[in-house]
Amino acid sequence: MELGFLKPLFDRPGPWASVYIDTTRATEDAQRLQKLRERSVASQLIDAGADAYTIRALMERLTHEPVSGAPPGRALFAAGAEVVLDIPLSVTPTGIEATWSVLPHVAPLAGLRGDEPSCLVAYIDRTGADLELRDAHGRETVGQANGKERGRGQRSVPTGEWHFRNKVENNWNETADTIADELARQWPGSGAQLLVLTGDSRERRAVYNRLPERIRAATVEAENGSRSPGASKSVLDRQIAQACEEYTRDRLQSALERFRIGRGRPGEHRAVSVDTGRGEAAEGVPAVVDAARSHQVATLLLGQDASDAGRDVWIGPGVDEVAVQRGQAQAMGVAKPVQARADDALLRSAAAADAEVLLVPEGMQGPAGGLGAVLRWSL
């Protein structure tokens, strides 16, 4: 999970109300159940000591949720009588959770928001391409790339079969160049992690070969997409879903392999050197806190059943002001350190450093205690 969308939560002080709620409406008594869920949220926040204005803001947001098109769950974060983020979830929360704490309780998002990568999809034919951006929450058209291929209705052709074929081939080469250039232009700002090329195999391959190497490394080809209006996308959807699953699995396995190679003894945070090189790792709360404080975390690994996630650490208002002991925080210049959950504090630091978080599923070998990190390369 990329963490950039969480930054608005860390630009302002708390305390924070954090709510995870089931919003499915698959039963006949859905409206009654939703009212009960909202009452549970309010009750939990009152018991936790949340202020009335912030509770009211959350209740108003939940009350005005649309009946149709509701996601299976939502995560809401509010402070100072304002709902700052309202995030649709891909996975239904197992229960209603509402907390009041110094930091927003963002750690459950790793398992509930879904880790499906966003995809830039190019529907290619000999006249150009339609471009679509899709993720777990929807899809939108983001542009076209139109070439110089003749339209089907044009009847004039150059004299001679060879000249005609040569003209068609030149037009297609120019069209493929145009599509590749547009994809290279849109890729950096799209936020996509995967590029999907679909259409006839020859046309897909021509565009693929013209892409920059850094984009080809994140590109897959799918056979069953069409640019034609009204074309079915069901088979393509399944192919893209499979490509996303493979991408997610490969990314996690790669990160865990780097972590296993780079870690030392449990809890040890070794100094990066020329000998250790890329692949350094931190394991356990003290080591990961140290790495987060120095902005060394590239990938934060969070176990689904992390026993260390709820451990208390000491924090200050700055995103890198985090320590295992109160005295350490004071030595850093924090006048009044306060306690926070380790997972939420580390996610705050990771988001500020443009790191990512990967959830290690239950049953898969990950960091001891459920908290670890793959560190950035350092010269």
Side-chain angles (χ1 to χ4, degrees):
M1 182 177 72
E2 302 297 330
L3 301 175
F5 72 100
L6 293 177
K7 288 183 178 180
L9 299 180
F10 306 126
D11 291 338
R12 56 194 297 171
W16 286 87
S18 306
V19 174
Y20 294 88
I21 185 170
D22 178 354
T23 54
T24 54
R25 296 179 179 272
T27 60
E28 294 182 359
D29 60 345
Q31 189 171 4
R32 183 184 66 84
L33 289 176
Q34 193 64 18
K35 292 295 183 184
L36 292 175
R37 292 166 184 161
E38 292 170 11
R39 290 175 189 168
S40 177
V41 168
S43 176
Q44 290 183 47
L45 290 175
I46 291 170
D47 292 344
D51 67 84
Y53 298 103
T54 300
I55 295 174
R56 185 178 299 122
L58 282 165
M59 292 301 101
E60 289 178 356
R61 179 65 64 90
L62 290 172
T63 299
H64 292 92
E65 175 193 328
V67 174
S68 61
R74 291 164 68 189
L76 299 93
F77 303 94
E82 179 184 355
V83 177
V84 180
L85 274 184
D86 183 352
I87 302 169
L89 303 175
S90 300
V91 179
T92 303
T94 55
I96 300 168
E97 182 179 7
T99 58
W100 181 248
S101 52
V102 64
L103 289 180
H105 183 35
V106 295
L109 287 173
L112 296 175
R113 191 169 185 264
D115 200 25
E116 179 180 325
S118 59
C119 301
L120 183 61
V121 183
Y123 299 88
I124 302 168
D125 65 16
R126 296 188 68 84
T127 67
D130 295 328
L131 307 183
E132 176 185 83
L133 190 63
R134 58 165 72 186
D135 59 21
H137 307 293
R139 61 188 71 181
E140 62 174 322
T141 300
V142 293
Q144 290 184 324
N146 294 314
K148 297 182 178 181
E149 178 69 15
R150 292 178 177 274
R152 292 187 177 87
Q154 291 180 278
R155 297 183 179 179
S156 61
V157 297
T159 304
E161 183 178 354
W162 181 87
H163 291 286
F164 173 70
R165 290 180 177 176
N166 188 58
K167 180 67 172 178
V168 169
E169 188 66 24
N170 288 340
N171 282 348
W172 164 240
N173 288 334
E174 291 183 22
T175 298
D177 286 335
T178 298
I179 296 171
D181 288 346
E182 180 62 16
L183 289 170
R185 186 189 70 82
Q186 289 211 24
W187 178 257
S190 68
Q193 298 155 285
L194 201 60
L195 173 62
V196 179
L197 306 180
T198 186
D200 290 340
S201 59
R202 181 173 178 271
E203 294 154 3
R204 295 195 317 261
R205 181 51 46 170
V207 172
Y208 177 89
N209 290 336
R210 287 165 167 79
L211 292 170
E213 177 58 34
R214 70 184 188 281
I215 301 179
R216 284 206 303 267
T219 300
V220 297
E221 297 183 57
E223 298 180 356
N224 293 284
S226 173
R227 197 183 182 199
S228 302
S232 173
K233 295 184 179 180
S234 58
V235 177
L236 176 64
D237 289 344
R238 289 195 293 272
Q239 288 185 326
I240 292 177
Q242 181 178 355
C244 289
E245 290 175 4
E246 292 174 357
Y247 171 89
T248 301
R249 182 176 61 252
D250 291 347
R251 184 174 60 161
L252 176 58
Q253 290 176 344
S254 176
L256 287 174
E257 182 64 20
R258 290 171 59 199
F259 172 78
R260 289 164 188 151
I261 292 172
R263 71 179 171 182
R265 294 184 299 275
E268 178 184 41
H269 177 204
R270 300 176 302 178
V272 174
S273 69
V274 174
D275 293 330
T276 58
R278 191 185 299 271
E280 274 295 292
E283 183 174 36
V285 173
V288 180
V289 164
D290 186 21
R293 189 167 54 242
S294 58
H295 300 272
Q296 278 294 100
V297 175
T299 301
L300 182 66
L301 298 172
L302 180 63
Q304 197 163 21
D305 54 351
S307 58
D308 283 346
R311 280 185 53 179
D312 285 336
V313 295
W314 293 88
I315 65 167
V319 294
D320 56 354
E321 293 175 342
V322 55
V324 175
Q325 298 178 353
R326 187 171 186 271
Q328 290 176 325
Q330 290 174 323
M332 293 161 46
V334 180
K336 296 181 179 180
V338 294
Q339 289 181 303
R341 287 177 58 107
D343 51 5
D344 291 332
L346 289 169
L347 282 164
R348 180 181 70 158
S349 298
D354 294 321
E356 65 171 355
V357 60
L358 294 179
L359 184 69
V360 182
E362 188 174 355
M364 181 177 289
Q365 185 178 3
L371 284 176
V374 177
L375 306 185
R376 288 191 166 94
W377 171 254
S378 178
L379 298 177

